[in-house]
Every structure is written in structure tokens, then in C-alpha cells.
Amino acid sequence: MKISNRRSRGGRRTSAAVALSAVLALTATACGDDGSGTGGDKGAEGSGKGKIVFWDNNGGVRTDIWKEIIADFEKANPDIKVEYVGIPSTDYQSKVDTAIQGGGLPDVGGVGAAMLAGIAAQNALEPLDERVAGSSLNGKLNEDMVASLKAAGGGDGKLYSVPTSANNGVLYYRTDLFKKAGLDEPTTWDKFYEAAEKLTDAGKNEFGYTIRGGSGSIAQALDAMYGQSGITSFWDSSGAKTTVNDPKNVAALEKYAALYKKVTPAADLNNDFTKMVAQWDSGTIGMLNHNLGSYQDHVKALGTDKFRGIPQPVGSAGKRVQVSNPVDGMGLFKSSKNKEAAWKFIEFATSHEENSKFNETAGQVPSNNDAAKDAWISEAEPTKLAAAALTDGSTTIVQLPYYLPDWNTISKADNEPNFQKVLNGDLTAKEFLDTMAGQLNEAQAEWTERNG
């Protein structure tokens, strides 16, 4: 089966989701400007008072903690009111792209590394370097997270999003089920596959693993591929061609995708992370690959004595290889008519106390250096283990090309449906990865030409 991997050329391209999602556009009256804002609107500093609008890029999951932070902010700044709009992560990119084209952007929004380049390329974000340097955040933000967001911004070296947190891949497993089955902790890929097989009894609705087949599936698949293949760079030595379709990665994806419906529920085909996490928390599934962000959900559902969250398995060579998790952050939209108040909110939300509060709830690594020293981090085992794995030399990170404006489109709209075809056996792993490689190589060539 052949799939076209041709992509239209051109300087700035918006997500294909814009056209598909136009009907989902938020009205201008729900937003922080007058509805005339576009990617080229310079906005205004404003009075530093009044109303601002904040779009949460993980609405529903993080709504409660953001409302708590907003309440703290409004208490400290009684002249500013923050209107909270929670948007599910699966819809966020299309809503931002639609608002850029048609007007109605918020003042502030969640802007993580994965989508940063695409938004910045449309001239929709305010550079924040000078604001950070002149604020209480100067010298307080994790340098690696700042560098990651600068690199993801598209190549001009500017900071378009203030980091809030860093994530990391985690393998969660049910300690009670492993003990009952006499299985070792799944610290290697061989032990992972052994456990997935042994813990499955489909007749009793018991499965060894839950695989992500819906929204967000590509990053998880890439993590499994590179983790098994041991390939340590996303690009070859020339820097022009991706390694995603290297034969070792193809073989790794074939093995991983073969788990579907063999040791996983059939419903996994359409699972995004919320469905996958809920299914794992309420059922008898042995293992789940997600990240630090779902730790507190598991604690609420299972307590702390029925599961563990450990770093991703190591490969046959005894080394752990995993793909980078995008740093999350907050961006100030250029069309805002009240940038002074919007910046105050960003500065407040990433301060020591509020950043610590947010990340303790999310189970993620704080961006504020003072928050990263707080006691709760050593008490949240997955966060503690993840931080150690990233600093003790045991882990090699394959940096995903967040700097490509097309990255989010390629890794979501263009290829999530094709990955479902792989799971269903309608497309081979090689066809899937060859198609994705063609898109990536073209996007890399265009980026190199523009920034060379």
C-alpha cells in the first residue's frame, strides 16, 4: 500500500487542522481582545488592569489547579480579573490556529515546545526575553527548559514561552499484579514484553498493557521505537535525513504494534491519554506508558501500594534511550490589548510558590529553580526517579525536532490516522515510517533553507 508523502512547499504554513476546525472557532466576545487580532496584530501594553483571558492547553485535566492559581493571582492583584478557558489538549492546536487566522486570540495561553514553532512562525507570540530579564523570574528559571523553548521557537533564538514544567516518560506498572504473577520489575524491554504476555487473559478482561492508539499516539510509538533500537539521534550524520525509518526502528515498531489486541484491549485503538489513564486506573491492566503528568491520577485511584512509576525500560545494550518530552510553558499573544496585565499573570504563575503548587498537582518537574528544591519532589517517587534518570548518565535523550513549524502537524494530523492503520494491520510499519520520514526530511530541508 502506498501513501503520498508530498507536502505543499512554502514559507509559512498553518496546520491542516485550521480548515477542518473552522467551525470550532471561538467567538471574539469570549476572548481578551476585540476580535480583530491576527498573527500580525501588535496589540498594546494596556493599563495593567481589567480583564485578561487565559487559554489552558490541557483543560479538564489541569482546570482545578489553574483556577486555584487564578484565585491566588486575583487576590494579590485585585485590579485584574482572569477569564479561564479550558481547552482539551487534543483540540488546542486547531483552536489557536483558527483564532490566528480569524481573530479572537486570548491574552495568555499554554504554549508547549511541541507546538511553539508553528505558532511563532505565524507571528502570533510576543518575544519575552526582555520581560523575563526585567522581572522577578530573572535567574530563577531552569536554564535547560529555557534553552529547550528557545530552540523550539523556530530558529531566531528568542524566548516565546516561559517554561512552567518538564515532563518525562514513565512506565507505570501494577505491583500487586506483578507480585501475584511472580514477575520481575519491567526494567528491560525483554521483561516488558514477557510481562505483557503473562498478565493477559482476554477471557477475564485482563491485559498486560494498554497501548495509545488515539490522539498523542505518535510520541509514545517513537519512544518505544528508539528505546528498543538504541538509536540515539533523530537525524543521521548529515543532519538532513531522519532516522525514524531506520531498519532497527522499523523492526521495533513492528514488535510494539503487534501488541495491539493480543495483550491490549481492542478499545485502545481510539484511546487518547485521558481514556487510557482512566482505563488503567479502573481495570486490571498490568502496564501503562505515559508520563509524570498522570501520577496523581493513579494515586487517587490506586493508592501508593498497588503501582510504581519507573523510568522507561533499558535496551539490550543496557542503556536507556528515550525521546524528549516537550517542555510546557505560557505564551503572551501579540494581539493582546493588555500585555502588562497578561505578563503579570505569567510572572505570578511561574513564581516559586505557584509553580511548585502546579507541578506538585501535575507530578511534573518545576521550571522555577526554587520550586524544584521543595520537599514534595523527593516524596513523589516517579518524579524523583525521572529526575535522577535524566542526570545520572543512564539515559540518552533523542531530541525531537520541535523547532520545525510542521512538527506538530506531522506528528498528529498527518500520521495519527496512519498509525491506527498499522495497529489494524492495514499498513505496514515500514510504509508508515517511510511516509513520515519523507515528510520530516522535506520539512527539515525547508527549515534549513530558511535558516541557513
mmCIF file of all heavy atoms in Angstrom, residues 99 150 169 242 352 412:
data_model
loop_
_atom_site.group_PDB
_atom_site.id
_atom_site.type_symbol
_atom_site.label_atom_id
_atom_site.label_comp_id
_atom_site.label_asym_id
_atom_site.label_seq_id
_atom_site.Cartn_x
_atom_site.Cartn_y
_atom_site.Cartn_z
ATOM 1 N N ALA A 99 -7.955 30.813 15.535
ATOM 2 C CA ALA A 99 -8.014 32.168 16.089
ATOM 3 C C ALA A 99 -6.956 33.076 15.475
ATOM 4 O O ALA A 99 -7.182 34.277 15.298
ATOM 5 C CB ALA A 99 -7.863 32.121 17.605
ATOM 6 N N LYS A 150 13.659 28.005 23.668
ATOM 7 C CA LYS A 150 14.293 28.880 22.677
ATOM 8 C C LYS A 150 14.592 28.096 21.397
ATOM 9 O O LYS A 150 14.355 28.579 20.286
ATOM 10 C CB LYS A 150 15.583 29.496 23.238
ATOM 11 C CG LYS A 150 15.348 30.649 24.179
ATOM 12 C CD LYS A 150 16.663 31.327 24.551
ATOM 13 C CE LYS A 150 16.421 32.558 25.415
ATOM 14 N NZ LYS A 150 17.690 33.272 25.738
ATOM 15 N N GLY A 169 8.946 10.496 30.202
ATOM 16 C CA GLY A 169 8.242 9.235 30.007
ATOM 17 C C GLY A 169 8.394 8.330 31.212
ATOM 18 O O GLY A 169 9.463 8.237 31.819
ATOM 19 N N THR A 242 16.082 11.877 8.480
ATOM 20 C CA THR A 242 15.681 11.353 9.776
ATOM 21 C C THR A 242 16.000 9.866 9.896
ATOM 22 O O THR A 242 16.103 9.152 8.884
ATOM 23 C CB THR A 242 14.182 11.576 10.019
ATOM 24 O OG1 THR A 242 13.831 11.060 11.304
ATOM 25 C CG2 THR A 242 13.339 10.872 8.966
ATOM 26 N N HIS A 352 7.851 30.973 42.583
ATOM 27 C CA HIS A 352 8.195 29.811 43.410
ATOM 28 C C HIS A 352 6.958 29.082 43.920
ATOM 29 O O HIS A 352 6.751 27.899 43.637
ATOM 30 C CB HIS A 352 9.079 30.269 44.567
ATOM 31 C CG HIS A 352 9.419 29.185 45.547
ATOM 32 N ND1 HIS A 352 10.172 29.399 46.674
ATOM 33 C CD2 HIS A 352 9.096 27.860 45.596
ATOM 34 C CE1 HIS A 352 10.319 28.273 47.351
ATOM 35 N NE2 HIS A 352 9.654 27.321 46.726
ATOM 36 N N LYS A 412 0.875 14.663 14.409
ATOM 37 C CA LYS A 412 -0.513 14.480 14.839
ATOM 38 C C LYS A 412 -1.428 14.256 13.642
ATOM 39 O O LYS A 412 -1.693 13.127 13.259
ATOM 40 C CB LYS A 412 -0.970 15.686 15.676
ATOM 41 C CG LYS A 412 -0.269 15.768 17.038
ATOM 42 C CD LYS A 412 -0.828 16.862 17.900
ATOM 43 C CE LYS A 412 -2.218 16.547 18.407
ATOM 44 N NZ LYS A 412 -2.260 15.376 19.298
#
